[in-house]
Amino acid sequence: MKLDRREFLRLAGMGAVAGSLATAGFAAPEGGGEDKMAFELPDLPYAYDALEPYYDEQTVRLHHDKHHAAYVAGLNGAVEQAERMLKSGDFGHAKAVAKATAFHGSGHMLHSIFWTNMKPGGGGEPTGELAEAISKQFGSFGSFKKLFLATTNAVEGSGWGILAFCPTTHMLAVLQAEKHENLAVWGLMPILALDVWEHACYLKYQNKRTEWTKAFMDHLVNWDEVARRLKEAKS
Ligand code: MN3
């Protein structure tokens, strides 16, 4: 079974983070042999230095080419291990494989969203349907921004601030993820993800996480892409 980036993101958008990936990771390996699933590192939608001075080139290079790439490799490794278990009938590593699938799969998914959530000359405020949904849910864009920053800044250790959409109730929710996969709410779809692992900002912002998250919201966030994800999630 092949699952290219588009298909992965579609799946990622259609269900809970860990749920979709568990499904993807443990789908029956039809045919076996050559026909194995391989996740790929998506290209950045801009040059490495395009987000300067708010997101420095060196961090973007390391973050994308090394850190995100490691999650892609880890996810592919977990899928291969799952296939080996199914072939051998020895399920002794089932727990480790499930954990690796959730960690690396969620890491791959959230980074894939994160890169598209930024653009040169970003920031400002959303418009249209997204702006209406945010006002309806949080009272105003200003209130949402305060809540999103407070939530993201308060992540314990390594993790993410996330704006997610619930396809059942059509509500928006501001969430945290610890690591990549903990504190997820099953069924909610992330449409905005802000990385606050140290690797995401330490070279430029050191321990000043609040400066990184403020720079992201004021100068980098790509509301058009968040709006596109909301629209896609609704359809
Ligand atoms: Mn990261």
Side-chain angles (χ1 to χ4, degrees), residues 143-228:
S143 299
F144 158 75
K145 191 171 170 180
K146 282 181 196 160
L147 174 66
F148 185 80
L149 284 171
T151 303
T152 306
N153 290 337
V155 168
E156 282 181 17
S158 302
W160 299 77
I162 292 169
L163 174 65
F165 173 73
C166 175
T168 319
T169 61
H170 279 211
M171 289 169 73
L172 293 171
V174 170
L175 304 172
Q176 293 181 335
E178 287 177 359
K179 298 198 288 179
H180 304 303
E181 73 281 30
N182 296 339
L183 305 182
V185 179
W186 294 93
L188 297 204
M189 302 154 66
I191 58 173
L192 171 66
L194 171 48
D195 192 339
V196 290
W197 281 58
E198 282 186 350
H199 71 230
C201 65
Y202 208 83
L203 291 178
K204 180 174 175 65
Y205 295 92
Q206 289 89 44
N207 61 323
K208 297 182 280 277
R209 179 189 279 177
T210 56
E211 290 186 15
W212 157 235
T213 56
K214 186 175 186 308
F216 178 94
M217 291 300 273
D218 289 348
H219 302 287
L220 295 172
V221 62
N222 180 356
W223 288 118
D224 293 339
E225 172 62 13
V226 181
R228 190 198 64 74

Side-chain angles (χ1 to χ4, degrees), residues 76-96:
N76 284 324
V79 172
E80 279 168 28
Q81 273 191 293
E83 286 172 359
R84 275 203 294 278
M85 286 196 300
L86 289 164
K87 271 184 198 141
S88 68
D90 175 358
F91 295 97
H93 297 295
K95 182 177 178 179

Side-chain angles (χ1 to χ4, degrees), residues 55 63-64 67-68 71 107 110-111 114-115 159-160 180 194-201:
Y55 209 15
H63 195 181
H64 178 268
H67 291 276
H68 187 172
Y71 300 126
L110 289 176
H111 283 93
F114 171 70
W115 299 120
W160 299 77
H180 304 303
L194 171 48
D195 192 339
V196 290
W197 281 58
E198 282 186 350
H199 71 230
C201 65

Side-chain angles (χ1 to χ4, degrees), residues 12-85:
M14 289 189 68
V17 171
S20 305
L21 285 158
T23 306
F26 290 93
E30 291 170 72
E34 311 294 346
D35 190 26
K36 76 177 168 127
M37 187 186 302
F39 294 96
E40 289 177 7
L41 181 66
D43 291 333
L44 288 176
Y46 33 70
Y48 288 105
D49 63 355
L51 304 177
E52 292 270 11
Y54 304 104
Y55 209 15
D56 57 296
E57 177 178 354
Q58 190 185 11
T59 300
V60 172
R61 272 188 193 280
L62 288 168
H63 195 181
H64 178 268
D65 295 1
K66 303 297 180 189
H67 291 276
H68 187 172
Y71 300 126
V72 174
L75 178 58
N76 284 324
V79 172
E80 279 168 28
Q81 273 191 293
E83 286 172 359
R84 275 203 294 278
M85 286 196 300

